[in-house]
Amino acid sequence: MLSFGILRLNPGAVKNNILLPFVVFLTLSFTSCKKEKDPTVIGKWVSISNYSAENGVFTWRPTSRFSQSITFKPDARFNTFIDIPTGAGTYSYDHRAAKIDLNYEADHYGTSARTVMYKIEELTNNRLVVSSFSPAGNLQFKTEYVRND
């Protein structure tokens, strides 16, 4: 036991009082530094609604019974289906510009080689919203997808 005038300290208590804040600090360091991963387009997505014009007015409507599915693979390849295969090729995703370009390859299903550009309106771990614009910059449509991995 240590004695400083009237104050008497138990060596075990001093040791515990010094170690406790250190242990709490270490525990918080390991648990509070968990970084969330940025959402990725990689995976399978299925359309659930479309934002399109009818009589000049844009509104969201549920996708018809033939939803489009699109799968983005880690090797920058993609494929699309609407009940049957509707195209495949490579894609280029620019996170900073919030855009994705689909480079369709010609195939025996009748798909011609072309590039389709989409602006990414929203990308979360479970939701993807893309929009398409005309060459003049006018909105053509938006499509909402949900992840279906």
Side-chain angles (χ1 to χ4, degrees):
M1 190 166 307
L2 298 174
S3 178
F4 297 100
I6 300 178
L7 182 62
R8 294 187 195 322
L9 299 174
N10 181 339
V14 171
K15 187 186 219 183
N16 288 341
N17 286 338
I18 292 172
L19 284 178
L20 183 60
F22 181 70
V23 169
V24 169
F25 172 76
L26 282 178
T27 303
L28 290 175
S29 295
F30 288 110
T31 58
S32 64
C33 292
K34 186 171 145 184
K35 183 177 174 5
E36 294 296 319
K37 287 177 59 174
D38 287 332
T40 178
V41 295
I42 296 171
K44 182 177 181 184
W45 299 89
V46 176
S47 64
I48 61 168
S49 63
N50 295 302
Y51 185 73
S52 57
E54 187 172 302
N55 298 323
V57 178
F58 278 91
T59 56
W60 283 103
R61 290 182 187 80
T63 303
S64 69
R65 63 184 188 146
F66 297 110
S67 295
Q68 178 193 36
S69 69
I70 185 164
T71 302
F72 296 105
K73 299 176 184 174
D75 65 355
R77 297 206 46 85
F78 77 93
N79 57 53
T80 60
F81 288 84
I82 300 177
D83 198 36
I84 61 168
T86 55
T90 60
Y91 69 92
S92 126
Y93 170 57
D94 185 338
H95 174 73
R96 287 192 177 152
K99 70 180 196 114
I100 192 163
D101 297 339
L102 305 181
N103 304 302
Y104 283 88
E105 298 167 349
D107 62 22
H108 63 277
Y109 295 108
T111 301
S112 57
R114 68 189 189 287
T115 298
V116 179
M117 296 172 277
Y118 293 108
K119 180 178 184 315
I120 296 178
E121 300 278 333
E122 181 178 346
L123 174 61
T124 67
N125 288 324
N126 298 313
R127 185 171 186 247
L128 171 65
V129 177
V130 298
S131 55
S132 176
F133 292 86
S134 71
N138 298 318
L139 177 65
Q140 293 178 313
F141 64 88
K142 296 181 184 184
T143 303
E144 177 184 20
Y145 297 88
V146 293
R147 190 177 294 278
N148 189 16
D149 292 329

